[in-house]
Amino acid sequence: MLAAAPSTTPPSPAAATPLPWSQGAGRGGNHLPANHPAQVGDQSLRFSPRFSDPAYHFAGGTGQTEHGVELLVETGSAPGVLDGLRAAVAEVPQSILDGVRQVRVLAGHDEGYDRYYEQAYGIPGFHAVAAGGGGAVNFFGGRPYAAGVLFHELGHSLPVSGWGAAVRADDATIAALAKGGVLAPVEFEPIPDPVRRARWTPRLAPGAVTPYGGSATGEDIAESLHLLLSETHFGHAFATVTPTGGTPRPLTFGEAYPARTAVLERAARSDLDHDGTIGA
């Protein structure tokens, strides 16, 4: 009986064992690589004891560390999401990132989370695109909905104090600006959903900076950081002011809301408005 000829087909490489990780690990505690993406295992995620019951099941995916923040993207998310996240995180001041452990992109949605905030905020049919706080950011639906959403969610992890006094001071500033001319928001990026577009458009009036910011103090803080960082990201002011009989000029967030800006810069330990040097 003849012996079988030796196979010339190289053996298939063994599949890499997904790295284990924990939702509650300290900053950098999961030791995800910083120089390349790695496969990560599944994980049961619970965002708060108030909702998310049963817990969201992260089915595994890819992970990488960027500027000390663990980025985790669930299998089934949109292509290229990890690269986009790395680029977005890299432009955020490191002092803000120091308070963030993880940014996660979840392929699905958490119904318990949506139903909780539907009642808490009084928004029928509430459907979250992201959630942040406690040093973590979660994107639902397999991708960040818009670039500015990351900036908003990072605001939920900033150690802010003195917000009430800042709002009262800014009410006088924005009222004076409105009295001296016409204020108009300038869009940063197209928001396809008209309901969200309306919620996120600057009010340019006393009170919360956007309609959504009026739902809770934490949301006004997050919306303010979103507008400040978006001015840097997109390279133009968030609004214009047109004096009576004059021509429009850029109106930066720092000029319109100087007290809020000072509070956020103190919390972030960073010059977020670049001393008003953002262009038109």
Side-chain angles (χ1 to χ4, degrees), residues 73-148:
V73 177
E74 187 176 14
T75 298
S77 296
V81 166
L82 183 59
D83 288 340
L85 270 184
R86 291 177 57 233
V89 166
E91 72 176 71
V92 175
Q94 185 63 50
S95 54
I96 294 178
L97 298 178
D98 286 344
V100 181
R101 304 186 323 276
Q102 293 177 347
V103 176
R104 317 175 192 114
V105 178
L106 313 180
H109 286 266
D110 187 271
E111 290 301 321
Y113 185 94
D114 287 344
R115 299 294 70 78
Y116 176 85
Y117 278 105
E118 179 179 46
Q119 305 229 349
Y121 288 173
I123 301 176
F126 185 89
H127 193 62
V129 296
V137 173
N138 298 286
F139 290 105
F140 301 113
R143 63 183 178 89
Y145 181 82

Side-chain angles (χ1 to χ4, degrees), residues 121 152 155-156 160-165 167 208-209 212-224 260 264:
Y121 288 173
H152 171 105
H156 288 305
V160 171
S161 62
W163 197 254
V167 170
V209 296
Y212 189 61
S215 57
T217 296
E219 300 301 349
D220 193 45
I221 293 169
E223 286 287 79
S224 297
R260 280 178 173 85
L264 289 173

Side-chain angles (χ1 to χ4, degrees), residues 238-260:
F238 88 120
T240 61
V241 55
T242 305
T244 304
T247 57
R249 68 169 179 84
L251 176 65
T252 65
F253 188 87
E255 181 184 355
Y257 298 101
R260 280 178 173 85

